[in-house]
Amino acid sequence: MVFSRIAEVISAASSRISAPQSSTALSAGLSTEASSAHQFGFPNNLRLSSSLQDFSTYRQLDSEEAVGLGYDRYAKQPNLLQRENAGSSFSKEKGLPGGTPFMCRKWLRVFMAAIKPLLQWAEKQIPEHAHKTTSLFIYATAGVRRLPTSDSKWLLDNAWSILKKNSPFLCQRDWVKIISGTEEAYYGWTALNYRTGMLGAIPKKETFGSLDLGGSSLQVTFESKEHMHNETNLNLRIGAVNHHLSAYSLSGYGLNDAFDKSVVKLLKRIPNVTTSDLVNGKVEIKHPCLQSGYKEQYVCSHCASSPAENGSPVVGGKKLVKGRKSGTTVQLTGAPNWEECSALAKTVVNLSEWLNISPGVDCDMQPCALPDGLPRPFGQFYAISGFFVVYRFFNLTSEASLDDVLEKGREFCEKTWDIARVSVPPQPFIEQYCFRSPYVVLLLREGLHITDKNIIVGSGSITWTLGVALLEAGKTFSTSWGLHSYEILRMKINPVILIVVFLISFIFLVCALSCVNWTPRFFRRSYLPLFKHNSTSTSSVLNIPSPFRFKRWSPINSGDGRVKMPLSPTVVGSQQRPFGLGHGLGGSSIELVESPLYPSTSSVSHSFSSNNLGQMQFDSGGMASFWSPHRSQMCLQSRRSQSREDLSSSLADAHLVKI
Ligand SMILES: Nc1nc2c(ncn2[C@@H]2O[C@H](COP(=O)(O)OP(=O)(O)OP(=O)(O)O)[C@@H](O)[C@H]2O)c(=O)[nH]1
Ligand SMILES: [Ca+2]
């Protein structure tokens, strides 16, 4: 999967507003929001999302745009592009994909509809005046990670040149990069627990583990009790709350790679396959997870591998073609057999089947997808991304059980291909869902040994991009607010203590003044308590409902060119919970410290202060999320301006915030 997921994290660098400076952040994951979620009866928080394929190939792209980019062909035959470029590499000596100018142009064109819809979508989310100050990031994950370096570099360089030419946003070359599996895992966990309101909650709440299933890899992240200091260990500090995480990425366990490995397994069972048969694409493979009547060419990317890998798969007693990792075209034919399909999925889940460890690990005895030394998943998990996609494919709600997935999968497999292919909306890889059904269930139950009751299938709109946006925005915010000195302070004083000190001294000041019967003039007029405590919380001065609800930037133009935040925006379908701001404190921040990603000597503090994370709401329009300290005060004002008293107290709070 080359472009299984390009996530653009669009975060507005500080829009330099007269003090206090403010910054907005927006993370753009592709998501089509709630409207279609109702089709599947998903509760409000389960929203559809679309990955790149859907957006670029299956969304109604502007027709001439699609034709212009040659999309109409690819939209109808999703494997066409893969087949046409079987065995080609982007970065042949001449630096052209597939070695020909035509191929280069074609790849660039496809690469362009892939990025262009993202840019067009983001341009609609962010008011034009803020485009120049909005930072644009492109992060690539496992699908690109597993490409040869020359190919991934070619892709990223071209992504960068497309951005330079077509993006109105602020971008830099080093903001177009591949992130590691561990980073992807940690970002996903942050996004999940942010959306579910667990992040930074005070008193501390049990966080959810995240299972993020992609096309090439699976990320597993959870809070661990013991503080194991191994390569999966991450420490995350949010305000006064410390989270000890285990985060790891299982390459080759994504949906597309898993199906590919099922083809490898079947290929290995065919006796006397010659290399020339393989090279000529003459090998026919009968697949028990494909419906009867299915007959298509398939490019198997794991069927041939460079000798450098630990023992390239041997087919029929002969070494496969040596040389670069490249696709091998085979003929797949449907030979549906549910029991054989489930057994095949089980071998794909079992890592020992791939490491030729004899005897292999018994999936019933221990999590057979985990290499030795990886901590076993612990606690309650949200299964997101690819898990959500499989549930949605079979029209299952999040309440459905894993057995329901198996039942739906069995029904789907029993259909003939002609019926099956039109029984669902057009989308990529319809033919693989007969395999994906047993695969995702066995991956959870036998690969990871997570019991059904510990799994919630999460929303499609929770993706790791949201986690990146939080941290990038936090970084942007802390720099844009000129908090360097504060950063230095933070190195020595925990922000929580700092804010407690401020609050106590402010209260003393007010008491002292009231003792001498002196009250400032503007207080005399007000009849309001100075600190308005929300009835639901005594722990924070500023109650920002959690989970944070991002609001699509839908400014109300006051007609005089000034932009005003919508008045008292509604909080869509969420529990009004104060975001734990730390014992009546005005702030908390997310920091990643002591992690293999960042050596503890330079503890990386991704931080943003929830003082300034205004009220954010996801509306039903899109997973566009942004926050703005400046605007949050407006939000707070607008949120609280139900009454005059509220307005004064929020002004007082806002004054406090400015402190
Ligand atoms: N129909 C449909 N399928 C999707 C959608 N999102 C993901 N998928 C399917 O899930 C698979 C994996 O999703 P990706 O978004 O490609 O996964 P990824 O996280 O980018 O993959 P990695 O490179 O491993 O990180 C794809 O091959 C699709 O078949 C979606 O919105 N609609
Ligand atoms: Ca992924």
Side-chain angles (χ1 to χ4, degrees):
M1 281 307 297
V2 170
F3 281 101
S4 51
R5 163 89 61 206
I6 289 187
E8 281 186 272
V9 174
I10 298 172
S11 92
S14 57
S15 43
R16 303 275 169 219
I17 298 174
S18 58
Q21 281 171 346
S22 104
S23 63
T24 58
L26 180 141
S27 75
L30 291 173
S31 73
T32 51
E33 283 298 333
S35 51
S36 13
H38 298 306
Q39 288 170 19
F40 302 99
F42 283 132
N44 213 358
N45 62 346
L46 268 185
R47 291 186 165 81
L48 296 180
S49 84
S50 65
S51 72
L52 214 52
Q53 296 90 332
D54 251 12
F55 197 88
S56 45
T57 349
Y58 293 92
R59 286 281 172 270
Q60 290 315 314
L61 266 184
D62 169 66
S63 55
E64 48 274 17
E65 180 82 14
V67 171
L69 293 171
Y71 253 112
D72 47 328
R73 297 172 61 224
Y74 301 118
K76 296 189 186 77
Q77 306 169 66
N79 289 334
L80 176 65
L81 188 64
Q82 193 195 42
R83 278 205 304 275
E84 282 178 355
N85 296 285
S88 78
S89 154
F90 294 107
S91 59
K92 281 262 184 343
E93 298 64 44
K94 297 184 280 308
L96 292 175
T100 63
F102 169 70
M103 285 304 297
C104 173
R105 277 197 305 280
K106 181 165 70 173
W107 268 107
L108 278 180
R109 280 203 317 246
V110 171
F111 193 43
M112 180 69 176
I115 291 183
K116 212 168 180 181
L118 275 164
L119 293 176
Q120 289 161 351
W121 182 80
E123 285 169 31
K124 294 191 186 98
Q125 310 308 319
I126 302 171
E128 196 170 341
H129 69 77
H131 284 178
K132 290 248 170 296
T133 57
T134 297
S135 309
L136 170 62
F137 301 84
I138 285 194
Y139 289 170
T141 53
V144 180
R145 273 198 290 271
R146 68 186 184 90
L147 286 175
T149 311
S150 54
D151 289 354
S152 52
K153 184 179 180 314
W154 184 88
L155 279 177
L156 297 178
D157 287 344
N158 281 284
W160 165 237
S161 60
I162 290 173
L163 288 187
K164 265 192 305 187
K165 293 190 195 92
N166 299 281
S167 161
F169 303 110
L170 188 64
C171 19
Q172 294 174 11
R173 174 61 188 85
D174 57 353
W175 293 355
V176 181
K177 66 178 185 179
I178 300 172
I179 57 172
S180 70
T182 307
E183 286 177 302
E184 186 181 358
Y186 150 71
Y187 289 139
W189 182 90
T190 304
L192 169 67
N193 285 286
Y194 182 82
R195 282 292 304 277
T196 50
M198 300 301 162
L199 214 51
I202 292 184
K204 184 177 176 184
K205 292 201 161 232
E206 199 73 33
T207 54
F208 289 107
S210 66
L211 299 168
D212 186 341
L213 181 62
S216 298
S217 62
L218 165 70
Q219 283 73 45
V220 181
T221 315
F222 54 96
E223 196 157 359
S224 45
K225 298 296 175 214
E226 60 276 8
H227 306 177
M228 285 172 295
H229 293 286
N230 57 23
E231 71 284 349
T232 67
N233 192 40
L234 292 178
N235 271 340
L236 186 68
R237 182 167 62 232
I238 299 151
V241 180
N242 252 327
H243 297 279
H244 305 286
L245 303 184
S246 286
Y248 47 85
S249 180
L250 301 175
S251 177
Y253 275 93
L255 290 169
N256 298 80
D257 280 16
F259 181 80
D260 204 72
K261 286 156 76 173
S262 74
V263 175
V264 174
K265 270 292 164 199
L266 294 170
L267 187 55
K268 280 181 166 183
R269 294 173 187 169
I270 303 175
N272 309 322
V273 170
T274 64
T275 309
S276 61
D277 291 341
L278 271 179
V279 169
N280 300 328
K282 286 192 179 143
V283 177
E284 185 186 16
I285 296 175
K286 295 189 187 317
H287 201 299
C289 301
L290 291 173
Q291 286 93 346
S292 58
Y294 182 88
K295 194 174 185 66
E296 287 283 347
Q297 279 196 329
Y298 172 79
V299 177
C300 172
S301 54
H302 287 85
C303 287
S305 55
S306 61
E309 281 194 359
N310 45 4
S312 52
V314 176
V315 174
K318 292 183 178 59
K319 278 280 180 199
L320 290 176
V321 178
K322 287 199 181 321
R324 305 177 60 82
K325 187 190 227 11
S326 61
T328 305
T329 304
V330 294
Q331 185 74 42
L332 285 184
T333 306
N337 181 311
W338 180 250
E339 282 64 36
E340 284 181 22
C341 175
S342 301
L344 180 61
K346 184 166 183 168
T347 60
V348 168
V349 164
N350 193 337
L351 182 65
S352 56
E353 293 276 333
W354 301 97
L355 303 176
N356 295 325
I357 302 170
S358 53
V361 168
D362 179 349
C363 291
D364 297 329
M365 300 307 290
Q366 66 180 73
C368 58
L370 298 182
D372 292 341
L374 279 194
R376 296 177 66 158
F378 168 88
Q380 185 80 21
F381 282 86
Y382 256 81
I384 58 178
S385 305
F387 293 108
F388 169 79
V389 165
V390 172
Y391 263 61
R392 187 182 65 174
F393 181 88
F394 292 115
N395 233 348
L396 292 170
T397 68
S398 62
E399 280 73 37
S401 69
L402 295 181
D403 286 330
D404 295 331
V405 175
L406 292 174
E407 190 46 39
K408 287 284 188 178
R410 178 197 288 270
E411 289 166 11
F412 187 66
C413 294
E414 284 167 356
K415 292 175 179 168
T416 62
W417 174 236
D418 288 344
I419 292 172
R421 72 188 308 175
V422 295
S423 64
V424 291
Q427 56 193 288
F429 308 108
I430 293 174
E431 73 284 356
Q432 293 189 13
Y433 282 85
C434 174
F435 167 80
R436 292 183 171 185
S437 159
Y439 174 70
V440 296
V441 175
L442 290 165
L443 178 62
L444 292 168
R445 286 177 171 168
E446 308 204 3
L448 299 173
H449 274 210
I450 301 178
T451 54
D452 295 21
K453 66 178 176 23
N454 279 342
I455 293 165
I456 303 167
V457 175
S459 156
S461 64
I462 298 180
T463 68
W464 54 269
T465 46
L466 178 59
V468 181
L470 284 169
L471 301 172
E472 290 297 341
K475 273 193 280 183
T476 312
F477 167 72
S478 57
T479 45
S480 68
W481 271 58
L483 293 178
H484 299 295
S485 52
Y486 173 58
E487 287 299 313
I488 292 165
L489 269 180
R490 275 155 60 81
M491 299 303 278
K492 297 190 179 64
I493 307 173
N494 184 315
V496 172
I497 299 167
L498 209 58
I499 294 169
V500 168
V501 168
F502 271 129
L503 283 178
I504 292 171
S505 48
F506 188 70
I507 292 166
F508 270 125
L509 176 66
V510 169
C511 297
L513 292 174
S514 53
C515 290
V516 296
N517 279 333
W518 181 84
T519 44
R521 189 163 45 79
F522 67 79
F523 275 132
R524 282 188 212 113
R525 272 207 309 277
S526 80
Y527 41 86
L528 295 172
L530 189 60
F531 291 103
K532 177 156 187 54
H533 284 281
N534 183 309
S535 56
T536 59
S537 154
T538 55
S539 69
S540 61
V541 174
L542 294 176
N543 297 318
I544 297 175
S546 168
F548 285 153
R549 311 279 295 157
F550 287 96
K551 175 107 188 78
R552 179 197 292 276
W553 190 320
S554 50
I556 298 170
N557 202 315
S558 54
D560 57 3
R562 282 180 304 109
V563 166
K564 287 194 303 184
M565 286 305 286
L567 286 179
S568 55
T570 50
V571 184
V572 177
S574 78
Q575 303 304 321
Q576 285 278 353
R577 281 178 54 257
F579 179 74
L581 302 182
H583 313 302
L585 302 170
S588 72
S589 61
I590 289 185
E591 284 182 285
L592 166 69
V593 290
E594 295 149 32
S595 83
L597 300 175
Y598 308 97
S600 56
T601 45
S602 61
S603 78
V604 178
S605 65
H606 290 309
S607 72
F608 60 88
S609 155
S610 54
N611 282 14
N612 304 292
L613 280 183
Q615 178 176 3
M616 304 162 220
Q617 297 176 3
F618 283 107
D619 63 8
S620 61
M623 194 190 84
S625 49
F626 65 90
W627 58 267
S628 149
H630 177 65
R631 297 199 182 293
S632 69
Q633 287 160 13
M634 290 173 71
C635 269
L636 282 177
Q637 285 161 349
S638 62
R639 177 170 66 86
R640 290 184 175 186
S641 60
Q642 277 82 29
S643 72
R644 182 181 154 68
E645 58 184 293
D646 278 348
L647 186 59
S648 315
S649 68
S650 63
L651 281 177
D653 290 347
H655 173 68
L656 181 65
V657 168
K658 285 201 186 94
I659 285 174

